[in-house]
Every structure is written in C-alpha cells, then in structure tokens.
C-alpha cells in the first residue's frame, strides 16, 4: 500500500490518502489539546500508546460484531482505516459523572449513574462542540432517526463490553466519546464505529484508588501522563514488562528520526 498526500490534520491525528480509494492511513500525533484547543502541549510517546490501545479495543469490538473502521495497524504510529463520512456528532457515554456534566449540572464528581447516559455534542471546534438534543440532530439532518437508533444500540454494546474489559484489569470506565461514520456497502449507507478509543477519549480510574489513568492528567496538570497510559496498555496485555522498554526506545528512535527529517 502506498501512502499518498495529507487529506486532513486534526488535533491528535493526521489522515493520509492511499492508492486504494476506500482506505486511508491514520497517523497518531503526540499533540495534546484540551479546553477547546486553549491548552496545548506535545507529550512524546502518547501517539504510539494511543495507536496500540485503540487498535486493541477496536479489534476486540470487531470480534463481538461491532463493525468499525480499523483494517490493521501498520507501525508504531499508523493504522489503515476505511474511509467513512463522519457523522458530525460526538457521542458521549457516561457511567459515572465527571468532567463537563459536573460543572454544567452541579452533579458531584464520581456520582454513579443508574444507567449509562448518552449525550450528543455537535462536532464543531469553532462553536466549542456544543451540547445538543436528539431533536437538533433530526431538525438539521445531521443524521437520520434510523442511524441514531442503530448508533444507540451499538453504543450500549460498546459500553457493556468496555466496562467488562476494563473492570477485568482493575479500571473503572467513567465516560468516553465515540464517533461514527457512513460507509457505502453495495450502494447503501452503513453506519460503523470510527475514530479512536484511547485514554485520550475515555476517563479511566484505577478501581482501588480512583487514580486517573487518562487525559485528565494533562487537563488538570497532574503529570505522569505517559506512565498512566503505559499502565493502561500493560494491564490490557498490550505491552509486557520487556516490550515496554523496547516501546519506549522505539518512541525515542522515532522522535530522533522525525527530528532528522
Ligand atoms: N471527550 C473527547 N473529546 C471531546 C470531548 C470529550 O474525547 O472533544 C471525552 C472526554 O475525554 C471524556 C468524555 O468524552 O472521557 C466526556 O467529556 P466531557 O464532556 O466531560 O468534557 P471535558 O470535561 O473533557 O471537557
């Protein structure tokens, strides 16, 4: 497969064309942003970890029948994905109240919700990804009723699977963000899971201590983001004690290579 020109650069990823029109390459950057791009930094090695963790979760999800855009991981920072038309909505799934909902509604941080709560935000950086109601989605035709029904079913399955997967390794899944895209299959649009699932897009707390193992370490200046993401990867069985050392070395190597370019 040949890597073509850059099609799109987002806050944490770059998308490149390939010689196959239906496939693109997704490159994971080390850039970290928060609070609608107001806080920015480069955290060396973050992209490598997110690439591995997202690959692990998405390939496990496809094994339980949740269709998604991942084709295969290519290397430390890149994966081949199916080109989809992204539905312009961020689907936020909450099991425990934390982050924006606590401020918006005055709910105490850490409140366990009786049922998972799905919130919708319009994907629009200029507007600061505003919270919207399901009615807005239909009023402005961002997605059809049929699509949202299917997405909601998929979200609840993803959530159940991920709660169990993380619980098994001593991590509480507090909340996360999902994105979906449309794919043409035999002339018909099919909705599949897209984007990434990683500690950048989930809140993950250690089950025993509530230690934050996610991007809140960056948002709240807690430090030690790489050790936390590495801990998540190790617990999921992606990095082993020894390969962890080599992963760090490869991270260093890849940054040396980048600097030389
Ligand atoms: N999230 C994300 N991208 C966004 C907004 C939120 O991945 O643009 C994730 C975030 O990491 C958290 C969950 O969605 O796991 C809920 O985020 P929240 O609405 O609390 O926003 P925040 O407090 O991060 O601004």
């Amino acid at each position: 497969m040949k890597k073509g020109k850059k099609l799109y650069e987002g806050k944490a990823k770059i998308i490149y064309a390939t010689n196959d029109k239906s496939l693109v390459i997704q490159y994971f950057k080390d850039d970290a942003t928060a609070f609608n791009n107001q806080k920015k930094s480069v955290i060396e090695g973050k992209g490598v970890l997110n690439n591995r963790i997202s690959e692990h979760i998405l390939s496990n999800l496809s094994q339980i029948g949740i269709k998604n855009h991942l084709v295969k991981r290519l290397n430390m920072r890149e994966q081949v994905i199916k080109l989809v038309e992204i539905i312009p909505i961020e689907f936020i799934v909450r099991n425990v109240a934390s982050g924006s909902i606590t401020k918006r509604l005055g709910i105490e941080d850490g409140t366990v919700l009786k049922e998972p709560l799905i919130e919708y935000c319009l994907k629009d950086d200029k507007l600061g990804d505003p919270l919207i109601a399901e009615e807005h989605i239909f009023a402005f035709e961002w997605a059809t009723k049929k699509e949202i029904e299917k997405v909601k079913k998929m979200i609840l399955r993803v959530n159940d699977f991920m709660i169990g997967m993380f619980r098994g390794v001593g991590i509480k899944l507090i909340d996360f963000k999902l994105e979906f895209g449309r794919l043409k299959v035999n002339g018909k649009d099919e909705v599949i899971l897209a984007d990434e699932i990683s500690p950048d897009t989930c809140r993950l707390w250690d089950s025993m201590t509530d230690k934050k193992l996610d991007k809140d370490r960056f948002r709240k200046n807690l430090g030690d983001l790489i050790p936390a993401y590495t801990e998540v990867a190790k617990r999921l069985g992606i990095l082993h004690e020894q390969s962890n050392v080599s992963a760090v070395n490869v991270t260093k190597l890849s940054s040396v290579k980048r600097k030389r370019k």
Side-chain angles (χ1 to χ4, degrees):
M1 170 170 302
K2 273 201 206 116
K3 187 167 162 184
K5 65 172 199 279
K6 191 198 278 189
L7 295 178
Y8 168 81
E9 178 157 2
K11 285 175 279 185
K13 294 182 296 278
I14 306 173
I15 301 291
Y16 295 94
T18 71
N19 50 337
D20 181 336
K21 269 194 190 136
S22 66
L23 301 175
V24 291
I25 290 172
Q26 172 166 255
Y27 176 97
F28 286 77
K29 301 196 283 184
D30 282 340
D31 300 37
T33 60
F35 311 119
N36 199 26
N37 238 346
Q38 286 170 39
K39 185 177 162 99
K40 284 187 205 175
S41 189
V42 174
I43 302 174
E44 192 152 312
K46 180 175 79 74
V48 175
L49 286 157
N50 283 347
N51 184 18
R52 295 292 296 269
I53 295 170
S54 194
E55 174 206 16
H56 178 83
I57 298 175
L58 291 189
S59 55
N60 273 277
L61 286 172
S62 60
Q63 283 167 27
I64 61 158
I66 312 262
K67 289 190 185 162
N68 63 68
H69 73 169
L70 180 70
V71 177
K72 65 169 181 188
R73 185 169 61 83
L74 276 181
N75 53 46
M76 297 297 282
R77 285 186 185 272
E78 293 175 320
Q79 37 184 254
V80 180
I81 58 170
K82 291 177 186 161
L83 179 63
V84 295
E85 180 199 351
I86 290 284
I87 294 176
I89 295 161
E90 297 194 339
F91 297 86
I92 308 286
V93 191
R94 300 184 187 274
N95 297 306
V96 176
S98 194
S100 65
I101 195 172
T102 61
K103 290 175 211 128
R104 196 183 339 121
L105 303 177
I107 310 289
E108 198 185 334
D109 188 58
T111 306
V112 177
L113 305 177
K114 284 202 199 88
E115 282 177 31
L117 173 67
I118 302 176
E119 290 180 336
Y120 308 100
C121 294
L122 180 65
K123 238 175 99 69
D124 188 324
D125 283 340
K126 275 185 257 123
L127 300 177
D129 296 343
L131 183 74
I132 53 169
E134 201 171 282
E135 284 74 7
H136 291 106
I137 301 176
F138 308 135
F140 302 109
E141 297 180 341
W142 291 317
T144 65
K145 286 199 170 152
K146 220 171 141 192
E147 283 173 334
I148 294 299
E149 261 168 47
K150 181 159 184 226
V151 162
K152 283 205 274 189
K153 280 191 190 151
M154 287 169 83
I155 284 177
L156 295 179
R157 285 198 68 210
V158 171
N159 188 40
D160 282 346
F161 174 82
M162 285 188 20
I163 287 178
M165 178 186 73
F166 281 118
R167 179 173 289 179
V169 297
I171 293 174
K172 288 192 267 192
L173 177 63
I174 304 303
D175 59 28
F176 58 102
K177 187 247 331 184
L178 294 178
E179 292 185 26
F180 291 83
R182 301 183 184 100
L183 184 71
K184 278 254 184 287
V185 180
N186 302 328
K188 270 188 171 178
D189 269 344
E190 187 179 42
V191 173
I192 67 169
L193 180 62
D195 196 45
E196 68 175 292
I197 304 181
S198 72
D200 263 10
T201 63
C202 301
R203 279 197 175 87
L204 304 168
W205 295 359
D206 178 85
S207 300
M208 302 288 282
T209 63
D210 280 353
K211 180 180 172 189
K212 295 180 199 307
L213 301 171
D214 56 62
K215 201 170 137 185
D216 270 352
R217 300 210 72 81
F218 170 69
R219 291 189 192 99
K220 294 173 178 280
N221 296 323
L222 300 173
D224 284 346
L225 182 135
I226 293 296
Y229 284 31
T230 303
E231 176 72 26
V232 172
K234 268 196 205 162
R235 291 205 201 172
L236 290 174
I238 302 167
L239 297 179
H240 305 289
E241 293 302 329
Q242 266 184 327
S243 63
N244 181 27
V245 176
S246 58
V248 169
N249 288 340
V250 176
T251 308
K252 282 188 184 145
L253 272 178
S254 64
S255 69
V256 170
K257 264 192 224 149
R258 257 185 295 134
K259 278 176 201 143
R260 276 193 196 138
K261 266 182 202 166

